Amino acid sequence: MKRFCSYHPAKWEAFSFLLIPILVGILSATCFGNDIWFLIRTGEEIVTNGFPHVDFLTFHENLTLVVQQWLVDVLFFFVYDYGGKIGIYFLTLLVNGYLVFITYQLLMLLTDKKRNLSILFTCVIVSVLAFFFLSPRPQIFSFAILLTELYVLEHYMKKKNTKILYFLPFLSWLMIQLHASLWPMLFCFWLPFFLNTFSISIGRLSSESKPKKPLFIAFLSMILVAFLNPYGIDSLFYLFRSISNSSLYHVVTEMRIPDIHTFSGMVSYFCLFLVWLGYLIFTSGKLQLRHFLLLIGTTYLAISSWRGLAFFLMAAIYPLAYYFRSHFYQVRDLSFSIRQYIPIVVAIIFLGIIPLTLILSSDGIVMNSANQEGIDYLLKKEDPNQVRLYCAYGECSYAEYKGLAVYIDSRAEVFIKENNQQADILDELFYLQNHALNYRNFLEKYQFTHLLVTEDDYLYQLLLHDSDYEVFFSGLESKTSHSMKKENLRRYIIFKKR
């Protein structure tokens, strides 16, 4: 430990270490997931016909629509139109590169340029974040914005430079366009810093009095600029209208409480344990109030849902570096020769160029939908304008991209009555899958022409034994988006009404 603490990497060496989370991103961003299809299709609709206010992807009538990630949709549409799946892949890697950069800058600021300490924490935070959450979805842009906000706020607390707070309104405006459902998180991160401007000393918790007016003005500005979006106040309250629906926490996988018996659940609780242990051991002196509040708040989010772990990784781990800094020496910029560039060149080749080349040359970017073969077959055999397709949550995105009218997709909030002003469709699906809804009444209500049903769907066995329906197509799809191992495959059937 002492040897590592006294190690002073030069800038070129630091860059080679920071290639580790870049490599993780290169490997983990290859699987896009089904959401990419409705994101691109929505972007196309906005570019072609303007901002939609009524849902156009499903066959439900008059569902009020707020496209809360409209800017991401448009961006993905243009990138996919010009660069295909490789373009979207490189865009995702670009965002991951920014996550590495801003996290490293945040840690260098907090630790007084203890470079080796900053490198260590950057590698841990961004590598785990990239491994579990890096995919072409609006959340990656949200993560970049939230980490930038933390940098701005820590910079203000450390250097009292009010000019840097000018970035906060811009970040607020950008977030409301890119991912409105996570816009309130900006204020969840802002609040601990505002409370830290009061003079407080409670046990080991402490904070010094600092000017409050600049932060409060920034707060008001962040709210005002957020109204400058295509959907006005509806975007600002999008999250609050959505979280009141209980089915959201059962149907949407990332909103469920982490299960300790699963790999993701074990990772969540292990991260919580290690970080809390670090705070207990290394914060023997005073603990900054803002850091404690960030720890408490994001811990609650992490044990409440799988997606909450991302906020914990961003906001609860980096403050630990502040309390570790006394165990690390101040960085020194060492002189170096041209010969010392050789290790960084080797690192770039083995951690960047070679993995990237192998992925691109082997067509390792997975953008195909799990049930794409069945949807393509359906489109060949049937008139798309005459199809009314059932498929469960998360299964219909590719079908929507191809222009089919479907029952539901993975835009969970769109199917909550508080948002669409028509019906609680998400509740209906939850009741159906939990045997609380008569399936014949459900089928009669919507008059489906076809039903795409996986083997773990409640309707699977019922339709196999229902004489009103026949098997139209049968195929296999991967449960994990990329693994084709037998144990990770499940059968799906497209039934057709006789």
Side-chain angles (χ1 to χ4, degrees):
M1 180 68 175
K2 183 178 180 181
R3 181 178 180 182
F4 179 76
C5 293
S6 61
Y7 171 54
H8 306 288
K11 289 183 179 179
W12 61 271
E13 289 180 289
F15 182 75
S16 65
F17 280 107
L18 294 178
L19 284 170
I20 295 173
I22 296 294
L23 173 63
V24 175
I26 289 173
L27 299 176
S28 63
T30 54
C31 298
F32 287 4
N34 286 333
D35 286 3
I36 189 64
W37 296 112
F38 78 72
L39 293 171
I40 295 173
R41 177 67 185 87
T42 305
E44 181 183 19
E45 176 70 15
I46 293 172
V47 171
T48 305
N49 300 315
F51 295 103
H53 292 269
V54 176
D55 185 51
F56 60 96
L57 292 175
T58 65
F59 56 62
H60 303 286
E61 296 182 357
N62 301 319
L63 296 187
T64 299
L65 178 66
V66 174
V67 185
Q68 54 103 8
Q69 73 288 336
W70 74 267
L71 189 54
V72 175
D73 297 342
V74 171
L75 180 61
F76 281 170
F77 168 70
F78 280 119
V79 171
Y80 184 67
D81 192 40
Y82 289 102
K85 63 181 182 181
I86 294 177
I88 294 181
Y89 177 64
F90 275 102
L91 175 62
T92 307
L93 295 185
L94 181 64
V95 176
N96 186 51
Y98 179 77
L99 293 178
V100 173
F101 168 78
I102 194 62
T103 304
Y104 178 68
Q105 293 300 322
L106 170 62
L107 289 161
M108 286 288 280
L109 171 71
L110 201 66
T111 63
D112 298 320
K113 296 186 177 181
K114 301 290 180 67
R115 185 177 292 146
N116 46 338
L117 177 59
S118 300
I119 293 167
L120 174 64
F121 272 74
T122 300
C123 288
V124 171
I125 294 171
V126 184
S127 294
V128 179
L129 196 64
F131 184 82
F132 288 104
F133 298 101
L134 189 69
S135 63
R137 298 177 61 192
Q139 66 183 23
I140 61 174
F141 299 97
S142 306
F143 298 162
I145 291 172
L146 290 171
L147 281 168
T148 305
E149 181 194 25
L150 288 171
Y151 175 81
V152 169
L153 291 169
E154 287 287 0
H155 192 282
Y156 172 73
M157 299 300 291
K158 186 178 182 65
K159 300 186 178 181
K160 300 181 180 64
N161 180 10
T162 58
K163 291 183 179 180
I164 198 163
L165 296 178
Y166 295 159
F167 283 99
L168 293 182
F170 172 72
L171 294 175
S172 176
W173 178 85
L174 197 58
M175 180 73 95
I176 206 71
Q177 322 299 333
L178 291 167
H179 203 182
S181 64
L182 286 188
W183 177 74
M185 283 303 303
L186 288 169
F187 301 95
C188 292
F189 282 8
W190 169 88
L191 183 59
F193 288 87
F194 181 71
L195 295 177
N196 210 130
T197 61
F198 294 88
S199 179
I200 297 173
S201 181
I202 305 174
R204 290 170 55 193
L205 297 179
S206 68
S207 62
E208 299 177 359
S209 179
K210 291 182 176 63
K212 303 166 186 59
K213 185 177 178 180
L215 277 176
F216 188 71
I217 292 175
F219 168 79
L220 294 178
S221 301
M222 290 166 70
I223 294 177
L224 291 175
V225 299
F227 282 93
L228 302 176
N229 74 84
Y231 296 92
I233 196 171
D234 288 334
S235 288
L236 274 65
F237 288 94
Y238 193 79
L239 175 66
F240 301 108
R241 289 196 304 270
S242 302
I243 60 177
S244 60
N245 186 281
S246 59
S247 296
L248 186 72
Y249 304 97
H250 299 287
V251 177
V252 184
T253 303
E254 64 182 21
M255 296 300 292
R256 296 174 187 169
I257 296 174
D259 184 355
I260 189 65
H261 300 98
T262 65
F263 175 68
S264 59
M266 287 190 290
V267 169
S268 292
Y269 293 115
F270 184 67
C271 287
L272 291 173
F273 171 76
L274 283 183
V275 172
W276 273 89
L277 184 64
Y279 274 94
L280 290 174
I281 294 175
F282 290 95
T283 59
S284 55
K286 290 293 185 179
L287 177 63
Q288 290 292 313
L289 178 64
R290 66 183 184 276
H291 297 155
F292 177 74
L293 293 176
L294 287 172
L295 173 65
I296 291 293
T298 56
T299 296
Y300 171 76
L301 293 175
I303 62 177
S304 299
S305 69
W306 165 243
R307 189 169 70 174
L309 176 64
F311 305 121
F312 182 83
L313 293 171
M314 287 185 286
I317 298 180
Y318 87 85
L320 266 180
Y322 175 79
Y323 303 100
F324 273 56
R325 72 191 191 286
S326 61
H327 300 276
F328 287 74
Y329 290 94
Q330 185 68 39
V331 68
R332 295 198 307 267
D333 285 327
L334 305 177
S335 60
F336 59 93
S337 63
I338 299 298
R339 184 180 301 175
Q340 290 178 303
Y341 274 114
I342 295 177
I344 185 59
V345 172
V346 173
I348 292 174
I349 292 173
F350 281 94
L351 297 180
I353 295 176
I354 290 180
L356 198 57
T357 302
L358 290 174
I359 288 171
L360 295 177
S361 62
S362 63
D363 194 24
I365 303 173
V366 181
M367 189 177 177
N368 296 335
S369 172
N371 50 48
Q372 182 170 334
E373 185 181 5
I375 296 299
D376 288 341
Y377 180 81
L378 174 61
L379 289 167
K380 289 179 181 179
K381 298 294 183 179
E382 304 286 354
D383 180 1
N385 296 321
Q386 301 301 317
V387 172
R388 286 172 66 89
L389 178 65
Y390 164 85
C391 42
Y393 181 85
E395 297 288 338
C396 275
S397 185
Y398 180 73
E400 290 176 322
Y401 174 76
K402 301 298 287 189
L404 292 175
V406 304
Y407 169 64
I408 199 171
D409 56 41
S410 50
R411 301 170 300 157
E413 301 90 349
V414 173
F415 305 100
I416 295 172
K417 188 174 182 179
E418 285 80 358
N419 285 325
N420 64 46
Q421 306 300 314
Q422 295 295 323
D424 273 318
I425 301 167
L426 194 67
D427 282 348
E428 181 180 57
L429 178 65
F430 175 72
Y431 296 146
L432 173 70
Q433 294 298 329
N434 287 275
H435 314 176
L437 187 66
N438 184 284
Y439 91 97
R440 289 188 178 275
N441 292 340
F442 174 75
L443 299 181
E444 181 68 24
K445 176 181 178 181
Y446 288 109
Q447 293 295 306
F448 298 107
T449 61
H450 299 77
L451 298 96
L452 191 157
V453 183
T454 61
E455 61 184 354
D456 52 5
D457 192 304
Y458 171 59
L459 295 178
Y460 186 83
Q461 291 295 331
L462 295 173
L463 293 176
L464 278 175
H465 299 89
D466 193 319
S467 59
D468 292 336
Y469 296 88
E470 62 181 349
V471 174
F472 178 77
F473 179 89
S474 179
L476 294 174
E477 65 176 30
S478 173
K479 298 178 184 179
T480 59
S481 300
H482 62 281
S483 175
M484 295 305 294
K485 294 182 180 179
K486 185 176 180 179
E487 61 270 20
N488 288 328
L489 296 178
R490 64 180 175 186
R491 181 167 298 279
Y492 72 94
I493 295 176
I494 298 180
F495 292 93
K496 181 181 179 179
K497 190 170 184 179
R498 294 182 188 274

